[in-house]
Amino acid sequence: MYAPFPTSPLPAQRTGPGGGTGRGFAVVDVETTGLGRTDRVISAGVYQLDPDGEVTDHWYTLVNPERDPGPIWIHGLTSEVLEGAPTFPEVADEFAERLRDRVMVAHNALFDWNMISREFSRAGLRAPVEQRLCTMVLARDLRLPLPNGKLSSLAAHFGVSQRQAHHALDDARVLAEVFRPSLALARNGGVPLPLTTCVAVTDLGESAPAGPSRGSWSSSYRPARKRPACPYPNPGRWVDGSPLMQGMRVAITGDTATDRELLEDRMIEAGLHIASSVSRLTSLLVTNEPTSWSGKARKAREYGTPVVGEDAFLQLLREVAPHPGA
């Protein structure tokens, strides 16, 4: 079993007051059995930071997923190592206290949030996280000269050494060490922190077919799925009070309680076009946070694109009108 790493010293520079919410930040990394919505958390590391980005505590736990641990050649956690570990419900309360009243910080944060949120939902709980911050997005907003979005590239930029990649606590340590100078750059440069409101995941994937999860373990990022082209031309914008129509270009941004892939599957089955961005041709934007900082939400406000929430969109998906040329 891995021994927890001690808290590593961070550079002496302080970032000044403010910039966080509540008690500060919780820098998180989880290792999982895979990338799909049926996969499980098998270890978690959390570094607690005060609003200035100073480390105040750290925590690590193994989690017994009570199933095959997945790619042990990546995370090194075998069934034998995990056999005596606590299950997620047994660590949920302590994990929650590490997150409570803090902004959750993670690299590719949507993935970590979805995994953590599902585990809390399976335990009959809600993860006590209101906002998260993705360091990939922050690095982009800071215009850091990185060759790619990997944590190793961000670590190399700030001179932070990785001791054991894909160990949850060491990845969280590395992220904590690169987050503080990133936080300082954002404050000093007047760059808003890309905070995202967290929506609890309710789709636990329990009805998903068994089998290997989608994705590749060559990186920690969820690869894009190749979708079939929509066979219908765009009939124009959606009008409030009318049904969706086949061929309409629909974009989604922000958190959704329903798994994004499941939503996209249903859109394709209904004959809708999945739009990866918002333009003047976009028929509809689906978001639970219409005033967010995201590029899609900003473009929708600029173009006057109709916007609906997830619940309303699910209702609209029930009856999509045939394309007039069909």
Side-chain angles (χ1 to χ4, degrees):
M1 185 178 297
Y2 293 114
F5 290 106
T7 302
S8 300
L10 296 177
Q13 175 189 4
R14 295 184 64 87
T15 63
T21 62
R23 293 186 291 170
F25 304 92
V27 180
V28 176
D29 183 76
V30 294
E31 295 300 316
T32 64
T33 61
L35 303 176
R37 65 183 187 273
T38 60
D39 284 297
R40 308 299 295 268
V41 170
I42 56 175
S43 67
V46 181
Y47 267 73
Q48 291 179 313
L49 279 58
D50 68 15
D52 294 337
E54 300 284 349
V55 172
T56 59
D57 196 10
H58 68 284
W59 176 77
Y60 173 72
T61 186
L62 294 174
V63 180
N64 185 350
E66 300 182 298
R67 53 164 285 181
D68 184 276
I72 59 174
W73 60 92
I74 298 291
H75 51 62
L77 298 175
T78 64
S79 296
E80 290 73 24
V81 168
L82 296 170
E83 184 176 0
T87 62
F88 193 88
E90 293 171 330
V91 301
D93 287 344
E94 188 168 5
F95 198 176
E97 283 307 308
R98 303 283 170 169
L99 300 173
R100 199 178 310 279
D101 297 328
R102 297 175 185 271
V103 172
M104 190 190 94
V105 178
H107 201 66
N108 193 19
L110 178 59
F111 173 79
D112 291 80
W113 164 248
N114 281 344
M115 285 294 180
I116 291 168
S117 181
R118 282 196 183 92
E119 289 289 9
F120 274 95
S121 292
R122 290 186 183 102
L125 304 168
R126 186 195 185 283
V129 178
E130 301 303 323
Q131 291 181 308
R132 67 173 184 271
L133 185 154
C134 181
T135 48
M136 292 174 64
V137 176
L138 181 57
R140 180 202 66 192
D141 290 353
L142 292 172
R143 301 183 184 277
L144 300 182
L146 305 178
N148 51 52
K150 294 181 179 180
L151 178 59
S152 58
S153 297
L154 189 58
H157 177 78
F158 287 111
V160 177
S161 62
Q162 289 184 288
R163 297 173 184 169
Q164 193 168 356
H166 297 293
H167 183 291
L169 189 63
D170 194 51
D171 281 351
R173 173 193 63 82
V174 170
L175 198 54
E177 292 197 37
V178 301
F179 176 63
R180 195 173 79 168
S182 299
L183 182 63
L185 287 172
R187 288 173 174 170
N188 295 337
V191 176
L193 295 180
L195 301 178
T196 298
T197 300
C198 291
V199 176
V201 179
T202 57
D203 169 37
L204 303 184
E206 304 302 337
S207 61
S213 61
R214 300 184 180 102
S216 164
W217 281 97
S218 61
S219 74
S220 62
Y221 314 128
R222 187 176 186 171
R225 295 175 64 192
K226 187 173 183 179
R227 297 289 193 178
C230 181
Y232 307 103
N234 185 2
R237 285 187 171 182
W238 172 76
V239 177
D240 190 11
S242 63
L244 290 170
M245 185 177 295
Q246 290 177 330
M248 282 187 169
R249 299 175 64 92
V250 179
I252 305 174
T253 189
D255 280 12
T256 53
T258 309
D259 183 80
R260 182 69 65 84
E261 289 188 354
L262 181 61
L263 272 179
E264 292 180 354
D265 287 342
R266 293 184 60 184
M267 290 165 65
I268 289 174
E269 290 171 3
L272 300 174
H273 178 110
I274 299 172
S276 58
S277 60
V278 172
S279 72
R280 289 181 175 84
L281 299 177
T282 304
S283 306
L284 180 68
L285 175 67
V286 179
T287 178
N288 289 315
E289 194 179 3
T291 60
S292 78
W293 59 271
S294 79
K296 290 179 184 177
R298 288 200 302 265
K299 286 290 186 182
R301 292 193 291 270
E302 177 184 343
Y303 297 139
T305 305
V307 177
V308 299
E310 178 185 358
D311 289 344
F313 181 61
L314 290 173
Q315 291 293 327
L316 289 169
L317 268 179
R318 292 182 175 180
E319 294 186 25
V320 176
H323 191 277

